[in-house]
Amino acid sequence: MSTQGSKAVRSPRARIERIALGSDRAAKIMAVRASIARVAEVDSGWREANVVARSVVTDAPAMPLTDWELMSGARQRALAVRKILIEQNLEADLYVGLEGGFHSISVEGDWHTFLRGWAFVTDGERDSFGMSPSIIVPPAIVKNVIEGKRELGLVIDEVAGARDVRSRQGAWGVLSRNLITLAMSYEVALIAAFAPFYNVDLYKHVSPTDRRLC
């Protein structure tokens, strides 16, 4: 049995006590908590971390249609919750934003649209992005959202015959028959985005994220 994992647990780099999330949606809160639990398996300094969730308002489009819009939206959410906590005289070790939507790409002339999500994490000095898996979206749903200029949440509610699906399994659950839920997809994005903060030795010589994205 390898001792690499146990060594990582015995040697935490810093305690993470509070993580602020720029959303009050249940699926996103669940994703942050699940990702904290996963990180705590390799860094014991995360074991006592708690989540502070705040609803935020940003300039991001209601339905992001590109990776750039998704990344920008996630960043805006993290910065917005940081501003809210500062105004409330509170601090967090990390500030998190999550954004989901579409990204389309042409391969040999055929367009493919994927559902995916992005996470953005900052401690005020170092920034990091992480992306969820991608799942292809049926053409009828793509047309309804893009050409019909409708939010995916509303379209998915109609497809699923339910209300507020995005607060539970999300479009991910509908498309994958609940093999992958919205919270699960964001969990992967968060574990990736958190990497510079729990894999410190590897990332300490990497320059902070380019801040020109807005």
Side-chain angles (χ1 to χ4, degrees):
M1 178 177 176
S2 172
T3 60
Q4 183 176 0
S6 59
K7 288 181 179 178
V9 172
R10 289 198 299 269
S11 304
R13 298 294 181 263
R15 287 184 60 82
I16 302 297
E17 298 180 351
R18 178 181 291 159
I19 296 177
L21 170 66
S23 174
D24 60 359
R25 291 194 173 278
K28 291 185 177 182
I29 295 172
M30 187 184 304
V32 177
R33 288 175 175 164
S35 65
I36 290 172
R38 290 288 304 281
V39 173
E41 294 175 3
V42 298
D43 187 337
S44 61
W46 290 61
R47 287 179 180 170
E48 304 301 321
N50 65 83
V51 181
V52 176
R54 296 287 188 273
S55 177
V56 299
V57 177
T58 71
D59 294 329
M63 181 59 209
L65 297 176
T66 67
D67 272 343
W68 192 96
E69 290 181 349
L70 289 165
M71 295 171 75
S72 178
R75 180 177 181 272
Q76 287 186 47
R77 287 181 177 276
L79 298 183
V81 75
R82 183 168 185 256
K83 181 179 179 181
I84 289 174
L85 261 64
I86 289 174
E87 292 172 348
Q88 296 176 346
N89 293 318
L90 294 174
E91 293 183 356
D93 298 293
L94 298 173
Y95 302 88
V96 173
L98 295 168
E99 193 73 77
F102 285 174
H103 181 75
S104 300
I105 188 169
S106 176
V107 179
E108 296 184 354
D110 292 327
W111 280 93
H112 306 272
T113 297
F114 295 92
L115 175 66
R116 59 174 55 161
W118 279 88
F120 176 85
V121 179
T122 183
D123 62 1
E125 296 182 1
R126 178 179 291 275
D127 303 341
S128 179
F129 284 102
M131 191 180 75
S132 78
S134 298
I135 186 170
I136 198 160
V137 183
I141 295 178
V142 174
K143 183 177 181 180
N144 208 335
V145 171
I146 296 179
E147 295 184 14
K149 297 182 179 180
R150 304 180 64 201
E151 288 189 38
L152 177 60
L154 298 176
V155 175
I156 287 297
D157 280 357
E158 294 175 358
V159 172
R163 294 184 60 185
D164 200 25
V165 171
R166 64 181 180 177
S167 292
R168 298 189 298 277
Q169 76 270 35
W172 272 94
V174 175
L175 295 177
S176 70
R177 294 181 64 182
N178 288 322
L179 291 177
I180 305 174
T181 64
L182 175 61
M184 291 168 64
S185 72
Y186 277 138
E187 180 183 344
V188 174
L190 284 162
I191 291 171
F194 282 143
F197 304 100
Y198 65 79
N199 199 2
V200 179
D201 285 345
L202 185 62
Y203 283 91
K204 64 184 178 181
H205 299 302
V206 179
S207 299
T209 302
D210 191 330
R211 298 176 184 270
R212 289 175 294 178
L213 181 66
C214 60

